[in-house]
Amino acid sequence: LVLLVEPVLTLLALALGLGQWMAEVDGRPYGIYVLPAVAALAVVFIPFWETAYGGFSRLKNASTYWAVLQTPLTAQDIATGEILWASAKGVVAGTFLLLIGMALGWASPSWSWFAIFALFPGAMFFAAVGLWAAAWVDRSTQLLMMQSFVLGPLALWSDTIFPFSRSGRWAEILTWISPVTHVVRPIRRFCAGEISA
């Protein structure tokens, strides 16, 4: 339950707060525009932190992984389990947000379910990035730097809060480089019921 509080509060703060000043974005009410973005950000931050900080603690502080390696499990088994578990948590949070969006009329009830095809790969990608970061950093504070200087800017620079297509060609190119964009845009299309090849 605690896992779901922050994304829901973020959704409500953006949709109800900024939505007062941004009535429509790309021909859609702002709530419909921002819902997929908050769902995508849930599958960015939740899996990343689950594997990054959790993995760091289990690897370097508690030495849990070293104990597990004394069993028949391999390092690949541990990594796969960590990534799948963190991905599941991110997908649950993203799906919960989509359910709220459907209840509020901000997402198509018939097509939004297909957003799982964007939620799950996105969650797996960022869970893997988090586990990679946990393996390479020396101190947990370096993980905070990764959030401040990598994930935070990616979260803002990926057609999440407002579209960068209006900001010029250079901004649009930078937006397409961001992996978060490729999670947000398919979810947005499914939520709007705009399905095409």
Side-chain angles (χ1 to χ4, degrees):
L1 183 64
V2 173
L3 174 75
L4 305 174
V5 172
E6 183 183 1
V8 170
L9 291 177
T10 301
L11 173 64
L12 294 176
L14 289 173
L16 301 176
L18 280 179
Q20 294 178 20
W21 289 282
M22 299 178 72
E24 284 193 358
V25 177
D26 292 340
R28 301 180 177 115
Y30 190 68
I32 293 173
Y33 180 82
V34 81
L35 168 69
V38 177
L41 294 179
V43 302
V44 169
F45 287 103
I46 292 170
F48 175 82
W49 279 110
E50 179 68 25
T51 55
Y53 190 74
F56 180 85
S57 297
R58 289 184 283 277
L59 178 65
K60 304 210 173 155
N61 294 340
S63 299
T64 306
Y65 292 155
W66 304 119
V68 173
L69 287 173
Q70 304 310 309
T71 70
L73 291 176
T74 65
Q76 290 82 4
D77 295 332
I78 294 170
T80 302
E82 288 282 350
I83 291 169
L84 289 175
W85 174 246
S87 299
K89 290 176 85 170
V91 169
V92 165
T95 303
F96 185 72
L97 287 165
L98 293 177
L99 288 171
I100 290 173
M102 285 184 228
L104 294 172
W106 295 343
S108 164
S110 53
W111 287 104
S112 294
W113 298 105
F114 290 100
I116 193 136
F117 293 113
L119 290 171
F120 190 68
M124 285 187 60
F125 176 79
F126 286 98
V129 169
L131 195 58
W132 172 83
W136 285 99
V137 299
D138 296 324
R139 297 180 314 277
S140 62
T141 54
Q142 291 172 311
L143 297 172
L144 293 173
M145 290 176 58
M146 187 164 185
Q147 176 175 330
S148 298
F149 297 111
V150 178
L151 289 182
L154 284 179
L156 296 174
W157 200 270
S158 303
D159 272 353
T160 50
I161 310 301
F162 52 89
F164 274 94
S165 57
R166 300 177 188 169
S167 301
R169 184 75 180 138
W170 64 272
E172 196 169 357
I173 289 169
L174 289 175
T175 300
W176 275 104
I177 292 171
S178 169
V180 180
T181 299
H182 303 289
V183 178
V184 172
R185 288 193 176 170
I187 296 170
R188 188 169 283 138
R189 298 293 295 248
F190 284 122
C191 287
E194 298 171 356
I195 310 305
S196 68

